[in-house]
Amino acid sequence: MSKYYLNYLDELESEAIYILREVYAQFQNPVILFSGGKDSILVTHLAKKAFYPCKIPFALMHVDTGHNFPETIKFRDDLIESLGARLIVGSVQESIDKGRVQEEKGKNATRNALQITTLLDAIEENKVDCAIGGGRRDEEKARAKERFFSHRDDFGQWDPKNQRPELWNLLNGKHFEGEHFRAFPISNWTEMDVWNYIQRENIQIPSLYLAHEREVVMRNGSWIPNSEFLKLEEHEEIVTKKIRFRTLGDITITGGIESDADTLEKVALEVSTMRQTERGNRSDDKRSETAMEDRKREGYF
Amino acid sequence: MQIDKNQLLRFTTAGSVDDGKSTLIGRLLYDSKSIFEDQIEAVENSSKKKGHEGVDLAMFTDGLKDEREQGITIDVAYRYFTTPKRKFIIADTPGHIQYTRNMVTGASTANAAIILIDARHGVIEQTKRHTFIASLLQIPHIIVCINKMDLVDYSEEVYNDIVGQFEEFSSKLLIKDVRYIPISALLGDNVVNRSENMKWYQGSPLLHELETLHISSDINKVDARFPVQTVLRPQREGFIDFRGYAGRVASGIFRPKDEVTILPSGFTSTIKAVHSDEGELEEAFAPMSIAITLEDDIDISRGDMIVKTNNQPEPKQDIDAMLCWLNTDEAKPRAKYTVMHTSNEQRAMIKEVVYKIDINTYNRNTEDKSLKMNDISRVKLRTTKPLMTDDYRENRNTGSIILIDESTNETVAAGMIL
């Protein structure tokens, strides 16, 4: 076979770098939406590569629900320092205090949906014209049709029927004042690709992704971590388990799985034999069959 | 798994529910274990709700709310699966004529196209349409799957007859590589495993074909083209004089010491180094994202193209192209558009519509000069400044353009340069 071909990880990497450079060239004020999860860490890593030896030309924007894993915040701050990048925080607590949104009530209350308002406010206040996200098409059915450059109207909303066709490598980021784009450079990566690449590049990720002992409670089929926000039901009991997280969201809704995978290599191996999707432990997606699509339309990540 | 060697193959499937497209994709995903238990559970639940029995494979590819309600696919959906040999990206597109633009979109990046034919019906209009688009977009490999063989008693005669029909009409088209497989997506014959019911078929099952298609020679390695996306000027210690031109190699191979010309200015220089973030490279080829530094200080910016001096693209202001109209608003006569070509942008006017093609019959209509959604027409464009073009047939990256309506910013057309 000819030596002039790329393996699939190199091709995905090259595609992502190409998209990140297009974002930089076509927009005035792009940011990376940074959640502290592996996908946004990966996007940040790719951005570092895309512009080397320049510093990464994007600020990192974090929508802070206040319901964080402490490990995530520490990780975020360390990363920002090592990159020399600017951090923009949109605070859900502030949105609540200002009366822009109302806290959900009840046992399974989360701040997940409230993030949308905070995110859109932060985008508007900071005059962001492109928010780069770590969304992947394999994650959820509403994401399977997402574009690399996804257009949002001046209300920040996604209209799946009014997206621009994307042909070849030609990305159209033209927009009017007040509109913004979401860009998804790792659209074509699967969860397995992400883990294989993290392992290959030895990318630092929060320790939460590796198996560790933690106080948890069983709720809706997954292990929800104990935290100051957790309200125990009568029949529920806190136990200590060796678990790890497949995705990281709010501490209130992110369920862990029991696992012994405490190195990147073991995690990649475990993921390759998984029979459940990674979002299967996210109670925000379980609310209805179209939970993700509905939130995306409103302006969710 | 030797992941360090595995390639990525992008293929497109066009078709409607009737010819078993969704069932075939569901079968590939299911048999390659790319469907997770919670997804199977979700499909079982919706199948039950709709009163279906068991798992309907086709439902794994259901998308947005509107589509599920209407039972159709509206847009291009991307699916993923991996085998120990390759990673696959499927661009799943609807097959109805109304969705020509989506078929064109899905085909634009594909290495291969799967064309499904219902064994009971043989070649129909839709087959001709899909094959035409695959040929127009120059998809390097076409795999014709003659499906539902179980419903024609796995008959070799029926199969041969359909192969004959296909060869007859497709002889008018430019197709590089075509192969035929008799399958039953529903029962799994010749999809992943060789069929026990069709011993007369000597070829491989579909998945094996997909895993072994030779795709590395599909990339143009002769004409070195490097469209500049952006300029890297770190201006920090250790890199004070560094001026790197960042981009993705569109075609050909670049090496240090190559004599290059910068277009459109025509200045010449020599490549000093080819950079990745991990250091200098001995060479770079498509589709690698790299940065290039030159021996001379030349003013270069986004939209310029670095090419080898002894092999240059043709600067063109008058462009002949096949144009697929993508927008609900039809083209306005002599209207001006922004044309995007590699990283370059210019303004362009559609000077003339030469003919429109009926994609079911391949007849040319020279009377109808309108450009409406899903039309495919030959046109003449005039740009304000020259584009550095190659024929689309030779080079998909430097032979393709899109048109953007300046009043809406929407992408209204896709063009292949002739």
Side-chain angles (χ1 to χ4, degrees):
Chain A
M1 200 191 301
S2 145
K3 64 170 175 164
Y4 295 110
Y5 75 93
L6 295 180
N7 76 33
Y8 77 99
L9 281 180
D10 287 330
E11 189 164 340
L12 291 174
E13 177 193 73
S14 173
E15 177 180 85
I17 288 175
Y18 171 79
I19 293 162
L20 287 161
R21 287 169 170 174
E22 281 302 294
V23 171
Y24 174 70
Q26 293 197 38
F27 295 92
Q28 296 295 314
N29 190 23
V31 299
I32 293 178
L33 292 176
F34 189 82
S35 68
K38 65 178 188 316
D39 297 321
S40 59
I41 292 169
L42 171 60
V43 169
T44 309
H45 175 86
L46 291 162
K48 214 166 91 182
K49 285 189 160 228
F51 299 97
Y52 180 84
C54 295
K55 274 208 302 198
I56 144 172
F58 310 122
L60 269 55
M61 180 182 271
H62 181 220
V63 175
D64 182 356
T65 60
H67 290 176
N68 301 297
F69 286 95
E71 291 94 330
T72 307
I73 298 298
K74 166 100 173 50
F75 185 92
R76 176 195 79 185
D77 294 342
D78 290 349
L79 183 68
I80 289 287
E81 204 189 309
S82 77
L83 292 171
R86 190 164 66 96
L87 176 69
I88 300 168
V89 178
S91 160
V92 172
Q93 187 61 50
E94 246 170 60
S95 304
I96 295 170
D97 296 345
K98 282 189 197 155
R100 299 273 296 132
V101 290
Q102 283 201 326
E103 191 106 58
E104 281 186 8
K105 301 203 167 60
K107 172 180 113 174
N108 286 321
T110 81
R111 290 182 164 182
N112 188 277
L114 310 188
Q115 294 178 87
I116 299 172
T117 304
T118 309
L119 170 67
L120 295 179
D121 286 354
I123 284 173
E124 201 179 320
E125 275 163 32
N126 292 281
K127 299 198 167 22
V128 170
D129 55 0
C130 182
I132 306 163
R136 305 191 324 263
R137 289 173 182 150
D138 80 318
E139 274 181 276
E140 213 280 336
K141 56 193 173 232
R143 282 188 167 156
K145 298 187 177 180
E146 188 55 280
R147 305 294 198 270
F148 292 126
F149 276 16
S150 174
H151 178 257
R152 305 299 155 117
D153 63 18
D154 44 3
F155 295 98
Q157 293 182 331
W158 180 63
D159 178 0
K161 281 195 201 142
N162 192 23
Q163 292 295 315
R164 298 174 184 173
E166 281 179 350
L167 296 103
W168 301 291
N169 303 310
L170 298 169
L171 302 172
N172 171 6
K174 292 193 183 298
H175 56 284
F176 295 109
E177 184 86 32
E179 295 177 336
H180 77 277
F181 267 76
R182 302 285 170 85
F184 299 105
I186 60 165
S187 289
N188 280 331
W189 301 50
T190 61
E191 183 190 17
M192 197 63 239
D193 299 333
V194 171
W195 282 114
N196 282 333
Y197 186 80
I198 286 175
Q199 194 191 334
R200 183 182 95 171
E201 304 275 305
N202 200 14
I203 300 171
Q204 294 297 306
I205 50 167
S207 54
L208 298 160
Y209 283 110
L210 305 177
H212 57 284
E213 304 259 323
R214 182 175 283 268
E215 286 188 351
V216 287
V217 59
M218 177 51 71
R219 190 174 280 179
N220 291 333
S222 52
W223 294 107
I224 300 289
N226 187 16
S227 72
E228 56 182 306
F229 312 105
L230 186 80
K231 291 192 193 89
L232 272 194
E233 296 282 293
E234 248 177 45
H235 61 279
E236 287 177 336
E237 186 193 356
I238 289 179
V239 290
T240 299
K241 289 275 172 195
K242 193 163 187 191
I243 63 153
R244 66 175 196 87
F245 297 95
R246 283 179 81 187
T247 67
L248 289 184
D250 273 11
I251 198 164
T252 54
I253 55 167
T254 306
I257 52 165
E258 284 187 68
S259 168
D260 286 319
D262 53 7
T263 65
L264 284 180
E265 208 178 348
K266 285 184 200 167
V267 169
L269 189 69
E270 191 180 87
V271 169
S272 71
T273 59
M274 289 282 183
R275 300 306 305 141
Q276 296 276 330
T277 57
E278 56 181 335
R279 296 192 76 95
N281 288 303
R282 289 283 285 267
S283 58
D284 44 338
D285 292 341
K286 286 187 181 166
R287 291 193 167 185
S288 83
E289 208 179 328
T290 54
M292 174 66 95
E293 183 182 339
D294 297 342
R295 281 177 299 157
K296 268 180 73 71
R297 282 177 189 268
E298 287 168 35
Y300 191 68
F301 305 104
Chain B
M1 186 159 64
Q2 277 189 300
I3 58 165
D4 54 327
K5 288 256 168 71
N6 287 355
Q7 283 176 299
L8 174 63
L9 180 102
R10 301 170 200 251
F11 67 94
T12 168
T13 53
S16 56
V17 182
D18 307 334
D19 56 29
K21 179 194 62 157
S22 304
T23 308
L24 177 66
I25 295 174
R27 168 67 61 193
L28 284 169
L29 299 180
Y30 193 80
D31 284 0
S32 64
K33 300 200 168 33
S34 306
I35 299 178
F36 296 102
E37 278 168 10
D38 47 335
Q39 291 173 309
I40 295 174
E41 219 172 277
V43 164
E44 276 171 352
N45 287 341
S46 344
S47 304
K48 256 183 236 157
K49 243 190 253 171
K50 289 190 182 160
H52 298 175
E53 261 180 54
V55 178
D56 181 357
L57 282 175
M59 288 184 74
F60 289 118
T61 59
D62 267 3
L64 302 168
K65 204 189 280 184
D66 295 341
E67 297 176 334
R68 279 202 303 282
E69 280 161 9
Q70 297 165 35
I72 50 160
T73 319
I74 296 169
D75 205 338
V76 186
Y78 295 91
R79 324 272 173 208
Y80 302 85
F81 71 100
T82 303
T83 70
K85 297 210 176 76
R86 265 187 184 158
K87 172 186 168 87
F88 296 95
I89 302 179
I90 312 176
D92 177 13
T93 65
H96 194 267
I97 191 157
Q98 192 187 338
Y99 301 108
T100 298
R101 66 171 205 155
N102 292 329
M103 281 187 266
V104 169
T105 303
S108 73
T109 51
N111 306 101
I114 292 183
I115 292 177
L116 275 166
I117 299 178
D118 187 326
R120 294 169 304 172
H121 305 137
V123 168
I124 55 171
E125 248 185 22
Q126 176 169 279
T127 321
K128 294 185 183 170
R129 193 156 66 227
H130 298 166
T131 312
F132 177 76
I133 288 169
S135 141
L136 179 72
L137 274 289
Q138 285 290 292
I139 300 181
H141 309 276
I142 291 179
I143 303 176
V144 180
C145 287
I146 295 146
N147 191 23
K148 305 197 184 179
M149 287 301 291
D150 52 311
L151 300 181
V152 294
D153 296 327
Y154 299 105
S155 155
E156 183 176 11
E157 205 188 328
V158 170
Y159 168 79
N160 284 337
D161 193 36
I162 293 173
V163 170
Q165 291 171 19
F166 190 91
E167 283 184 340
E168 195 191 328
F169 86 84
S170 66
S171 63
K172 293 175 213 152
L173 303 171
L174 186 80
I175 297 172
K176 292 173 189 159
D177 171 31
V178 59
R179 43 197 91 194
Y180 306 90
I181 310 178
I183 67 166
S184 163
L186 188 68
L187 303 177
D189 292 272
N190 285 335
V191 178
V192 172
N193 302 309
R194 179 173 291 280
S195 169
E196 289 298 316
N197 300 310
M198 291 177 276
K199 299 263 194 256
W200 47 265
Y201 171 70
Q202 304 293 318
S204 317
L206 174 62
L207 185 64
H208 184 262
E209 288 287 345
L210 292 171
E211 285 180 328
T212 54
L213 271 182
H214 184 64
I215 52 172
S216 20
S217 2
D218 298 339
I219 296 171
N220 178 328
K221 290 184 206 73
V222 178
D223 310 308
R225 309 279 184 259
F226 185 76
V228 175
Q229 282 184 279
T230 183
V231 183
L232 304 174
R233 300 220 55 193
Q235 295 175 308
R236 64 178 167 96
E237 226 184 290
F239 298 97
I240 296 295
D241 295 322
F242 186 96
R243 185 197 279 259
Y245 305 104
R248 181 149 70 150
V249 180
S251 57
I253 300 164
F254 288 90
R255 297 186 182 93
K257 299 201 177 68
D258 279 349
E259 300 285 325
V260 292
T261 297
I262 318 311
L263 297 171
S265 71
F267 288 120
T268 55
S269 185
T270 306
I271 293 183
K272 190 167 159 186
V274 174
H275 303 262
S276 79
D277 67 301
E278 283 156 14
E280 294 182 13
L281 306 171
E282 278 172 32
E283 55 188 2
F285 51 90
M288 288 168 73
S289 286
I290 52 158
I292 286 178
T293 48
L294 299 177
E295 293 291 356
D296 306 280
D297 249 344
I298 303 174
D299 183 25
I300 300 178
S301 52
R302 176 175 170 82
D304 291 348
M305 193 185 284
I306 300 176
V307 304
K308 281 201 200 165
T309 303
N310 61 12
N311 173 338
Q312 302 194 18
E314 199 180 341
K316 272 191 192 168
Q317 246 175 304
D318 288 296
I319 292 168
D320 285 296
M322 294 301 296
L323 203 66
C324 177
W325 201 258
L326 310 169
N327 204 265
T328 44
D329 292 343
E330 80 181 84
K332 296 162 218 98
R334 296 184 75 80
K336 291 189 183 64
Y337 296 94
T338 298
V339 55
M340 272 184 101
H341 170 255
T342 65
S343 58
N344 190 8
E345 264 178 41
Q346 300 294 338
R347 298 183 81 199
M349 188 173 72
I350 302 170
K351 273 176 59 189
E352 188 191 338
V353 178
V354 185
Y355 57 79
K356 185 184 291 195
I357 284 200
D358 179 326
I359 61 171
N360 295 322
T361 61
Y362 308 163
N363 289 332
R364 295 172 180 185
N365 179 343
T366 50
E367 304 297 313
D368 185 355
K369 302 290 185 185
S370 66
L371 295 170
K372 298 197 194 82
M373 181 140 96
N374 299 313
D375 281 352
I376 292 176
S377 311
R378 177 160 178 164
V379 299
K380 287 183 185 297
L381 301 169
R382 169 86 185 170
T383 58
T384 46
K385 284 182 184 162
L387 302 181
M388 303 303 149
T389 65
D390 292 292
D391 289 357
Y392 182 80
R393 230 182 254 183
E394 302 295 326
N395 199 324
R396 272 172 136 183
N397 289 324
T398 54
S400 52
I401 52 169
I402 56 170
L403 298 185
I404 298 165
D405 184 331
E406 294 177 356
S407 63
T408 61
N409 283 338
E410 283 172 19
T411 305
V412 293
M416 286 134 280
I417 297 169
L418 296 165

